Amino acid sequence: MAPPPIAASGYVPFMQPLPVWDYWYLLALPLCAGVAIVYKAIRCRWMKSVPREAAKMAAWIVVGLVGAAAGLWLLVKAFEWAGS
Amino acid sequence: MPEPSRAKVSPPLAALATWVVPGGGYWLLGHRARALTVGITVILLFVVGLLIGGVRALEVPGWDDGGAKIRLVLERRFDEKQEWVRVRPDQEPYYSRGAWVMARNPLSELRAKPWYIAQVLAGPITIASSAASVWASTDPDGPDGDLQPPGATSHGRVNEIGVLYTAVAGMLNLLAMIDASHRARHPEAH
């Protein structure tokens, strides 16, 4: 007898992609935090200041991403208006 | 207070230790807190990337998406010049006589899978995960059988984000390798 298709046999971590199709943009947040933590752990002279500095940097990365997204959205809308 | 550099470590050894175990170079230099912070974060980013995209988000150079080694054979073209062309696993006996692409033409294979260059900088964890990716891609009873490979391929945004996490983990580890070797060379400055 043939085994059930992978999709029907339930989610298996690492063997199947995480079912987060509708929330993919939220996955940018842990990535921003990770980048900020490693960068500040390398740059800061005192490790005690890393949590505060990393939190500030992660917030700025998120603000930059949101700003870039908003800018690109406006650009696309502007091209749509110009084309219509 | 900054953590003092206690041990005398050569810069290449610090870089190599950071590749083998992320944060390992800092550990050798006596920067324990920095080593743990960098190491745990890099490994966590890499593992979360594999969790998001699945282990098959790692495209391993030298192996195709069916888990078979990519092999090339020398073929004569119409203008009598010879060139290396790819043979599929079902094209026997040419396939088993073919040369492995990583032995014959590794640069073209790496150009086709450039993310792997960043991913492998995360250390041996990438090599172990690559073995798991090849295993998860392999169809246990061939293309004509009923069984499916153990792992599923991810697509779209989820695949992109999984690849991004693993590649960023590798690039951050490269940053740590460079910094650890710099600190090993100039211990008085840190």
Side-chain angles (χ1 to χ4, degrees), chain A residues 2-6 11 13-18 20-21 24 27-28 30-31 34-35 37-39 41-42 44-47 50, chain B residues 1-3 26 33-34 37 41 47 51-52 54-55 135 147-152 154 157-158 161 164-165 168 176 179 183 189:
Chain A
I6 289 172
Y11 169 68
F14 298 105
M15 288 296 114
Q16 289 170 296
L18 203 65
V20 286
W21 331 112
W24 60 267
L27 296 173
L31 186 63
V35 170
I37 290 167
V38 174
Y39 183 76
I42 288 170
C44 287
R45 191 168 174 83
W46 290 276
M47 286 303 288
V50 168
Chain B
M1 252 183 70
E3 294 174 277
Y26 293 126
R34 208 180 303 275
T37 308
T41 311
V47 172
L51 191 67
I52 292 169
V55 78
W135 172 80
L147 297 174
Q148 292 184 3
S154 54
R157 296 268 188 253
V158 174
I161 292 172
L164 191 65
Y165 265 73
V168 165
D179 186 57
R183 285 169 193 267

Side-chain angles (χ1 to χ4, degrees), chain A residues 4-84:
Chain A
I6 289 172
S9 59
Y11 169 68
V12 183
F14 298 105
M15 288 296 114
Q16 289 170 296
L18 203 65
V20 286
W21 331 112
D22 298 332
Y23 313 102
W24 60 267
Y25 47 87
L26 293 178
L27 296 173
L29 299 178
L31 186 63
C32 294
V35 170
I37 290 167
V38 174
Y39 183 76
K40 286 298 176 183
I42 288 170
R43 290 284 296 174
C44 287
R45 191 168 174 83
W46 290 276
M47 286 303 288
K48 214 173 157 183
S49 61
V50 168
R52 194 166 50 86
E53 292 291 320
K56 271 200 291 192
M57 186 182 169
W60 275 114
I61 296 173
V62 173
V63 167
L65 284 176
V66 171
L72 287 170
W73 182 81
L74 284 174
L75 199 65
V76 169
K77 286 292 168 195
F79 276 117
E80 279 178 1
W81 290 327
S84 62

Side-chain angles (χ1 to χ4, degrees), chain B residues 56 65-68 134-150:
Chain B
R56 288 185 69 180
D65 54 5
V134 170
W135 172 80
S137 314
T138 308
D139 198 341
D141 57 352
D144 300 328
D146 294 330
L147 297 174
Q148 292 184 3

Side-chain angles (χ1 to χ4, degrees), chain B residues 4-56:
Chain B
S5 293
R6 284 187 286 268
K8 180 87 182 130
V9 180
S10 73
L13 179 64
L16 182 68
T18 307
W19 181 78
V20 172
V21 181
Y26 293 126
W27 189 272
L28 291 181
L29 290 166
H31 297 231
R32 301 287 156 87
R34 208 180 303 275
L36 289 174
T37 308
V38 170
I40 290 171
T41 311
V42 166
I43 291 172
L44 210 59
L45 282 178
F46 192 87
V47 172
V48 170
L50 292 186
L51 191 67
I52 292 169
V55 78
R56 288 185 69 180

